[in-house]
């Protein structure tokens, strides 16, 4: 990889939005709240604005759990008539319903664009209410190949096989897919979750045990003859993340989250779609050019943002930043926010920030902007994240306090645009044209920003293909 010393680009306005026709779609659901025993116990701290005095401590309360799953290295359809089994909210992962085997067994499957294997629990598990019983499926065939997949959080071992899959409320038909049945796992299935498997939507390069394993989505594209495109609307900005004493469940109509396989659904976004090229087809690797906090450039070298990769990953709950970038962002937020004093534990995720319920803490924090390279290499665009996305409310704290967690974390090996960012936008994974698109989501419920700029102080780095 080679980089120029600095980054400059002319930012030009895209003249027209691109619209496609939806293939088939699913409404995304979210897992119920879980508080694993290994979770840190944060101390909530009552914070006030600079003009209203200091802070005071409160009793310790469990931290909300979150996923971090990034793995190691045809015809026109009426979309609105098909969506009645997918929902989602902030911070807990999105899943949908599939029917596996013959006769069909119903399972909920987590959606993850940061891995490539389709895997389901294949044995009883104390943390799950159901699993896929291969002995009860007349169409299951074992390939006698062992599979091991490790994630940022958790891992599993399984056996590779094939079986048929059906998608309720989706396109009609039965499709043969590769499936790993999980017989052993560690920190993967957690108490209280409502999904029993994971659908990796990244490229076959990441598939285990080898890239020769055809992925779920590749199989559907080939057998159903749909376009090689899928898109996601993950709703939930400003909605509470699971805490203690809460019940998971569906959102109302304003909180519906959707996955569209085979195209783009115009009713799910507003305005234009802007695309950034996929730099390498393994994860959905993109290129970050610049960060701003409160309108101020962090002034870091471009390579800092892309160390050692920058990816778009629905299976990662937070916005994860390389350590140098994370430190710079925290420092910039500290300087530009209206908070009198922060405790270090808030930034590390070991403490919650709490306010009186009569206060609105989001007005105390700055916007964060991420600049992405445009498909035209001489242009770029920015997506702006409001505090409603990265200052995340936690349910189940108390009657008088409203407590929040920091939706950004540090990373040792990647910049990950996870759910913290994706929940503000309709995100298109256009594999056919090797690009990822962003547009404003119709379910965001607030004014997110996505736009081009001219005569920016940015320069586009030259980079060889990895």
């Amino acid at each position: 990889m080679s980089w120029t010393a600095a980054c400059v680009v002319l930012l030009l306005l895209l003249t027209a939005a691109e619209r496609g026709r939806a293939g088939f779609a699913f409404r995304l659901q979210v897992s119920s709240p879980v508080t694993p025993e290994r979770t840190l116990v944060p101390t909530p701290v009552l914070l006030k604005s600079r003009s209203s005095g200091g802070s005071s401590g409160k009793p310790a309360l469990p931290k909300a759990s979150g996923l971090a799953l990034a793995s190691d290295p045809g015809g026109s359809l009426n979309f609105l008539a098909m969506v009645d089994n997918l929902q989602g909210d902030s911070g807990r992962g999105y899943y949908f319903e599939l029917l596996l085997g013959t006769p069909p067994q119903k399972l909920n499957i987590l959606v993850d664009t940061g891995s490539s294997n389709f895997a389901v629990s294949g044995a009883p598990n104390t943390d799950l209410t159901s699993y896929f019983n291969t002995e009860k499926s007349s169409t299951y065939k074992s390939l006698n190949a062992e599979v091991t997949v490790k994630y940022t959080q958790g891992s599993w071992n399984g056996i590779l096989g094939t079986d048929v899959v059906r998608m309720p409320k989706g396109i009609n038909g039965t499709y043969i897919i590769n499936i790993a049945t999980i017989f052993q796992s560690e920190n993967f299935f957690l108490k209280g979750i409502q999904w029993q498997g994971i659908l990796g939507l990244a490229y076959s390069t990441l598939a285990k045990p080898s890239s020769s394993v055809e992925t779920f989505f590749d199989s559907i594209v080939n057998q159903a003859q749909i376009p090689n495109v899928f898109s996601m609307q993950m709703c939930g900005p400003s909605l509470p993340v699971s805490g203690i004493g809460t019940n998971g469940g569906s959102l109302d109509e304003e909180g519906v989250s959707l996955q569209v396989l085979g195209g783009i659904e115009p009713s799910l976004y507003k305005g234009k779609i802007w695309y950034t090229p996929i730099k390498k087809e393994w994860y959905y690797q993109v290129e970050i050019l610049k960060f701003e906090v409160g309108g101020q450039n962090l002034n870091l070298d471009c390579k800092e943002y892309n160390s050692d990769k920058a990816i778009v990953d629905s299976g990662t709950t937070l916005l994860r930043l390389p350590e140098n970038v994370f430190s710079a962002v925290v420092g910039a937020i500290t300087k530009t926010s209206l908070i009198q004093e922060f405790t270090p534990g808030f930034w590390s995720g070991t403490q919650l920030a709490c306010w009186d319920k009569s206060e609105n803490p989001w007005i105390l924090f700055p916007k964060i902007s991420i600049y992405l390279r445009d498909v035209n290499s001489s242009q770029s665009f920015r997506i702006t994240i409001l505090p409603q996305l990265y200052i995340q409310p936690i349910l189940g704290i108390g009657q008088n306090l409203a407590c929040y967690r920091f939706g950004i974390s540090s990373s040792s090996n990647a910049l990950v645009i996870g759910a913290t960012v994706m929940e503000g936008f309709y995100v298109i994974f256009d594999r056919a044209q090797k690009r990822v698109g962003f547009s404003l989501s119709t379910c965001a419920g607030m004014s997110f920003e996505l736009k081009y700029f001219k005569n920016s102080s940015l320069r586009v780095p030259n980079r060889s293909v990895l």
Side-chain angles (χ1 to χ4, degrees):
M1 179 185 299
S2 62
W3 299 82
T4 55
C7 312
V8 176
V9 69
L10 294 178
L11 303 173
L12 303 178
L13 181 66
L14 190 64
T15 57
E18 298 192 33
R19 292 182 175 239
R21 186 66 180 171
F24 50 101
F26 309 91
R27 184 177 298 159
L28 295 170
Q29 294 177 346
V30 66
S31 175
S32 62
V34 291
T35 306
E37 293 179 358
R38 68 179 182 278
T39 300
L40 296 173
V41 179
T43 302
V45 178
L46 183 62
L47 298 181
K48 297 183 179 181
S49 66
R50 296 184 190 275
S51 61
S52 60
S55 62
S56 61
K58 295 290 179 181
L61 291 166
K63 175 188 175 186
S65 62
L67 299 171
L69 291 174
S71 63
D72 293 332
S76 297
L77 299 170
N78 182 352
F79 166 76
L80 296 178
M82 293 187 288
V83 291
D84 75 350
N85 84 329
L86 299 177
Q87 327 244 342
D89 77 357
S90 179
R92 288 179 283 168
Y94 294 79
Y95 65 87
F96 69 104
E97 180 183 293
L98 285 180
L99 300 177
L100 303 179
T102 307
Q105 300 175 43
K106 183 174 69 174
L107 295 175
N108 292 328
I109 308 298
L110 187 76
V111 176
D112 179 28
T113 63
S115 65
S116 299
N117 280 87
F118 175 47
V120 298
S121 177
N125 186 302
T126 56
D127 293 331
L128 303 177
T129 57
S130 62
Y131 68 98
F132 178 52
N133 190 334
T134 58
E135 294 182 357
K136 292 184 177 181
S137 174
S138 62
T139 47
Y140 175 79
K141 296 180 180 179
S142 175
L143 298 178
N144 297 315
E146 186 169 337
V147 187
T148 299
V149 175
K150 297 180 180 181
Y151 303 90
T152 305
Q153 174 180 299
S155 63
W156 54 260
N157 298 316
I159 297 295
L160 191 66
T162 64
D163 210 333
V164 296
V165 62
R166 300 168 181 82
M167 288 163 274
K169 302 299 180 180
I171 189 170
N172 291 329
T174 299
Y175 307 98
I176 301 174
I177 44 84
N178 290 308
I179 179 172
T181 50
I182 299 171
F183 59 81
Q184 182 179 3
S185 64
E186 182 177 358
N187 295 335
F188 182 70
F189 297 115
L190 305 174
K191 292 184 183 303
I193 59 171
Q194 296 174 355
W195 47 269
Q196 300 85 37
I198 184 170
L199 172 57
L201 287 168
Y203 291 94
S204 61
T205 306
L206 297 179
K208 306 295 182 182
S210 75
S211 60
S212 63
V213 176
E214 186 175 65
T215 67
F216 180 102
F217 188 63
D218 283 336
S219 297
I220 299 301
V221 168
N222 294 333
Q223 295 176 47
Q225 295 295 298
I226 62 171
N228 194 13
V229 179
F230 67 90
S231 51
M232 299 182 69
Q233 183 195 59
M234 297 163 59
C235 302
S238 79
L239 297 177
V241 180
S242 59
I244 61 170
T246 60
N247 295 315
S250 302
L251 301 175
D252 58 24
E253 292 182 359
E254 294 181 355
V256 170
S257 303
L258 300 160
Q259 176 186 14
V260 181
L261 303 183
I264 302 170
E265 173 51 53
S267 68
L268 299 184
Y269 71 95
K270 50 190 175 183
K272 304 173 177 64
I273 299 175
W274 286 299
Y275 288 96
T276 187
I278 294 171
K279 304 302 294 183
K280 183 179 178 181
E281 295 172 294
W282 55 328
Y283 300 98
Y284 292 97
Q285 182 177 340
V286 297
E287 189 165 5
I288 308 297
L289 303 177
K290 176 182 171 183
F291 254 75
E292 289 177 346
V293 176
Q296 300 299 310
N297 190 353
L298 291 185
N299 290 316
L300 296 178
D301 192 290
C302 293
K303 65 182 180 182
E304 298 279 1
Y305 303 125
N306 299 278
S307 178
D308 61 3
K309 57 186 173 290
I311 64 174
V312 183
D313 177 17
S314 66
T316 294
T317 305
L318 307 181
L319 168 60
R320 304 188 71 225
L321 303 176
E323 293 175 0
N324 288 346
V325 181
F326 178 77
S327 296
V329 167
V330 169
I333 294 175
T334 301
K335 291 179 181 179
T336 57
S337 76
L338 299 177
I339 302 301
Q340 184 178 33
E341 181 181 357
F342 273 108
T343 173
F346 176 67
W347 308 118
S348 65
T350 61
Q351 291 180 309
L352 304 177
C354 302
W355 285 265
D356 185 275
K357 285 189 174 181
S358 63
E359 297 190 53
N360 176 10
W362 293 320
I363 65 175
L364 307 175
F365 289 87
K367 299 176 183 178
I368 298 175
S369 293
I370 303 174
Y371 286 73
L372 293 150
R373 183 198 288 268
D374 184 55
V375 288
N376 181 335
S377 61
S378 65
Q379 302 174 5
S380 68
F381 63 93
R382 78 178 186 189
I383 56 177
T384 296
I385 309 159
L386 300 190
Q388 285 90 331
L389 281 174
Y390 72 87
I391 303 298
Q392 301 174 343
I394 304 296
L395 283 174
I397 298 301
Q399 293 183 348
N400 299 320
L401 286 181
C403 294
Y404 301 75
R405 73 172 181 181
F406 189 45
I408 304 174
S409 67
S410 62
S411 169
S412 61
N413 62 353
L415 186 152
V416 184
I417 297 176
T420 289
V421 178
M422 292 179 67
E423 287 171 345
F425 303 94
Y426 182 47
V427 184
I428 298 97
F429 297 83
D430 187 346
R431 296 153 58 102
Q433 299 192 54
K434 299 181 180 179
R435 60 187 186 173
V436 176
F438 293 85
S439 189
L440 297 182
S441 171
T442 56
C443 76
M446 58 192 72
S447 179
F448 293 98
E449 298 179 8
L450 175 61
K451 59 177 68 176
Y452 279 83
F453 292 88
K454 295 183 179 180
N455 301 320
S456 168
S457 59
L458 228 94
R459 230 182 335 153
V460 172
N462 294 319
R463 192 180 87 167
S464 58
V465 177
L466 292 178

